[in-house]
Amino acid sequence: MTELVPVSFAETDLDALAAETARVAVFVPAEGTLNPGAKRINKLTKGALARAVESEAFEKLKSGESLSLSYPMGMASDEVIVVKLARTAKGLEARKAGATLGKKVGKAGLAIWAGSQSDAAEIAFGATLRVYTFDARKSKQDSETGGITVMAAKPAEVEAAYADHRAVAEGVFFTRDLVNEPANVLTTTEFADRLIAMKDLGLEVSVLEEAEMAELGMDALLGVGQGSESPSKIVVMKWMGGGDEAPFAFVGKGVVFDTGGISLKPAGGMEDMTMDMGGAGVVAGVMRTLALRKAKANVVGLVGLVENMPDGKAQRPGDVVTSMKGDTIEVINTDAEGRLVLADVLWYTQETFNPVGMINLATLTGAVIIGLGHENAGVFSNSDALSAEFLKAAAAEGEGAWRLPMGPGYDKLIKSRIADIKNTGGRPAGSITAAQFLGRFVKDETPWCHLDIAGTASVKSATDYAPAGATGWGVRALDRLIRDGYEG
Ligand code: BES
Ligand code: MN
Ligand code: ZN
């Protein structure tokens, strides 16, 4: 797994600034007041810092943005990074400033003068999230970066506050690595193996193989994988850190590669479908975080791992399959495969665990990208209460999410002439008809949300917290949802 940047915490030491060889970061509020660290740097550089702070460039910076003094005289460091940030900045504002710095950790590392900043732990978290490069598939791992030192007035307190953040960052990195991996590496078997390895963290992990799934009647899921050489699997991860209450459940779409099947996708951009296991990746990342921070909650995470390939054995458009629930499905388009996988995993999850709440994540529809772009995931729910809880958690973590409607009126679009339901409803409201389809496999009494993350799981240009590629979107929001609502 891509390792987190090492972060250490130290007392502030003004006299050490001149000889510091790492890049040095200081925070200056919009008013321009210099804290003791900034004052010392200003003195060492014979007033260069004050000039920078009085400049038009500094004035134009938004909170959390920075400018740099290169090769400052009087200092061993090759760069002083001046970040505009109020001393009292907290939460996401501080986190974002940290992410700005994460981009600037050089070979020599980064020394952050946090002094008496209100939320140094968030600054460190933001930086940690941003120091990520996926270079596992390069022949040379040359993206060498040094460590981060946070110099704070009360380093022990900051370090304690940072500990849980680090568990979250590890979950996010785990998700990003899974999503960034190519499909010849991350086969269903390799994916399952990486989840089984999380037993070391105290998670219970078990795998349903094809024979057992066939026994259970999961022909909707099995139909999707039947054209692939890789065996379909469901991996069940359990974290029972709570009491004897029923668990909360996360369910993920894990299509390790989506060619579309016999309804083959066009060649252009098909390579992006290595990320079609993004939902499963987020579920895995959250479970890792919960285990690492020993969450006092009962949570199960289930992922349906399949590969959607065209083949002599592949399912055909027009095939009718029977789901574990018993409902029959006419497969109009083999490229609408995610919902077929989820139908059986959702049903199995409810039958097995009777969860207090269930959230599934899936890179389900291109249509959600048309509607919401890459800024927000689509949220669909049968519960105003659960969707409000989730939206609150997502907002608190700065992860975009927007609720879209569901309703029985849409069901006529997925009525089948020969089966109980069909798997596509044409172009109108494509994300909603997908959600309606899933809703059919959710019991009335299960509070449920479906998160369509096709636009947010992986992006073509860098975000505040991640370089281009996998974002890890959702790990933070779901961890927060559990923390705020389901921990004793
Ligand atoms: N995995 C895709 C959806 C997708 C598209 C994810 C773009 C990420 C980026 C999904 O399996 C799919 O192919 N959906 C079809 C559904 C259609 C056939 C009803 C789509 O969105 O075109
Ligand atoms: Mn598809
Ligand atoms: Zn897909």
Side-chain angles (χ1 to χ4, degrees):
M1 193 191 119
T2 302
E3 278 188 33
L4 269 60
V5 61
V7 179
S8 56
F9 299 85
E11 305 267 352
T12 50
D13 179 0
L14 288 169
D15 293 331
L17 281 170
E20 177 63 63
T21 51
R23 291 183 178 163
V24 175
V26 281
F27 301 97
V28 178
E31 314 84 75
T33 334
L34 301 188
N35 65 33
K39 273 192 185 138
R40 172 62 66 96
I41 291 166
N42 190 46
K43 197 170 154 200
L44 292 169
T45 60
K46 300 213 164 41
L49 181 71
R51 283 176 61 202
V53 167
E54 281 152 24
S55 72
E56 197 185 339
F58 184 79
E59 169 140 29
K60 281 189 178 152
L61 295 178
K62 296 196 194 85
S63 174
E65 292 178 346
S66 71
L67 56 75
S68 287
L69 304 179
S70 298
Y71 306 102
M73 74 158 115
M75 295 180 72
S77 174
D78 67 7
E79 189 171 335
V80 170
I81 305 161
V82 185
V83 185
K84 188 185 259 188
L85 190 71
R87 195 192 61 77
T88 53
K90 283 198 152 166
L92 290 180
E93 196 184 3
R95 189 182 297 179
K96 211 168 153 183
T100 299
L101 291 173
K103 271 184 274 191
K104 305 213 164 227
V105 184
K107 268 198 177 146
L110 179 70
I112 303 176
W113 182 276
S116 55
Q117 286 294 134
S118 297
D119 214 342
E122 280 285 357
I123 293 171
F125 182 41
T128 305
L129 288 169
R130 191 61 185 77
V131 186
Y132 175 87
T133 3
F134 184 72
D135 58 9
R137 302 296 145 237
K138 301 236 189 199
S139 59
K140 287 193 192 72
Q141 279 72 42
D142 54 7
S143 58
E144 213 183 294
T145 49
I148 296 178
T149 309
V150 179
M151 296 173 288
K154 293 178 178 154
E157 274 178 28
V158 179
E159 187 164 8
Y162 175 71
D164 276 357
H165 286 317
R166 201 157 171 93
V168 178
E170 286 218 26
V172 170
F173 278 29
F174 191 58
T175 302
R176 287 181 188 167
D177 281 358
L178 289 167
V179 172
N180 280 327
E181 283 286 24
N184 61 332
V185 173
L186 195 75
T187 59
T188 55
T189 304
E190 170 65 16
F191 199 148
D193 287 347
R194 291 190 191 188
L195 302 185
I196 292 165
M198 290 208 289
K199 282 182 181 174
D200 292 352
L201 305 176
L203 284 162
E204 289 169 51
V205 186
S206 55
V207 182
L208 288 180
E209 303 289 354
E210 283 178 353
E212 200 171 345
M213 290 191 272
E215 196 95 338
L216 289 161
M218 297 183 170
D219 287 352
L221 182 150
L222 289 169
V224 175
Q226 79 192 27
S228 171
E229 293 291 323
S230 295
S232 299
K233 294 171 191 281
I234 291 175
V235 181
V236 183
M237 294 162 274
K238 284 199 243 178
W239 176 257
M240 293 300 182
D244 50 16
E245 72 276 10
F248 196 92
F250 296 128
V251 173
K253 167 181 172 181
V255 176
V256 295
F257 195 76
D258 181 13
T259 63
I262 296 298
S263 312
L264 194 63
K265 286 182 182 295
M270 198 202 277
E271 70 280 6
D272 290 343
M273 287 301 114
T274 56
M275 55 71 98
D276 208 22
M277 33 53 67
V282 174
V283 171
V286 180
M287 296 310 292
R288 189 176 190 96
T289 292
L290 295 173
L292 283 169
R293 68 172 185 79
K294 303 203 167 22
K296 292 187 179 57
N298 293 340
V299 183
V300 293
L302 291 91
V303 294
L305 306 180
V306 303
E307 185 179 37
N308 189 19
M309 295 290 262
D311 180 76
K313 292 208 256 338
Q315 83 178 337
R316 292 155 289 256
D319 282 3
V320 174
V321 293
T322 304
S323 63
M324 178 186 175
K325 180 188 171 196
D327 290 3
T328 60
I329 305 162
E330 184 185 8
V331 181
I332 298 293
N333 188 322
T334 64
D335 196 13
E337 84 296 340
R339 63 198 77 179
L340 299 171
V341 173
L342 288 173
D344 280 337
V345 187
L346 288 169
W347 195 255
Y348 176 80
T349 300
Q350 294 166 95
E351 292 285 275
T352 312
F353 297 107
N354 192 23
V356 290
M358 177 167 72
I359 295 184
N360 75 258
L361 299 100
T363 49
L364 204 64
T365 65
V368 83
I369 309 176
I370 304 302
L372 299 174
H374 301 282
E375 297 299 319
N376 286 285
V379 180
F380 303 83
S381 185
N382 64 359
S383 160
D384 290 343
L386 182 61
S387 55
E389 274 174 49
F390 174 74
L391 289 168
K392 197 172 156 215
E397 293 296 320
E399 294 188 309
W402 197 262
R403 191 172 178 190
L404 293 166
M406 294 185 69
Y410 295 101
D411 285 337
K412 55 181 172 296
L413 297 170
I414 48 174
K415 246 178 99 86
S416 164
R417 182 176 58 82
I418 66 160
D420 297 340
I421 190 172
K422 60 182 180 180
N423 79 330
T424 57
R427 281 168 64 80
S431 300
I432 303 177
T433 52
Q436 291 294 128
F437 182 99
L438 297 182
R440 203 181 160 107
F441 299 90
V442 176
K443 299 180 181 181
D444 288 339
E445 65 270 22
T446 310
W448 159 75
C449 287
H450 152 52
L451 309 178
D452 193 334
I453 61 169
T456 51
S458 182
V459 294
K460 298 280 177 205
S461 43
T463 64
D464 288 342
Y465 297 104
T471 60
W473 183 99
V475 173
R476 284 166 279 168
L478 293 175
D479 176 65
R480 157 110 7 238
L481 178 93
I482 296 300
R483 187 189 292 268
D484 288 353
Y486 298 88
E487 282 195 54

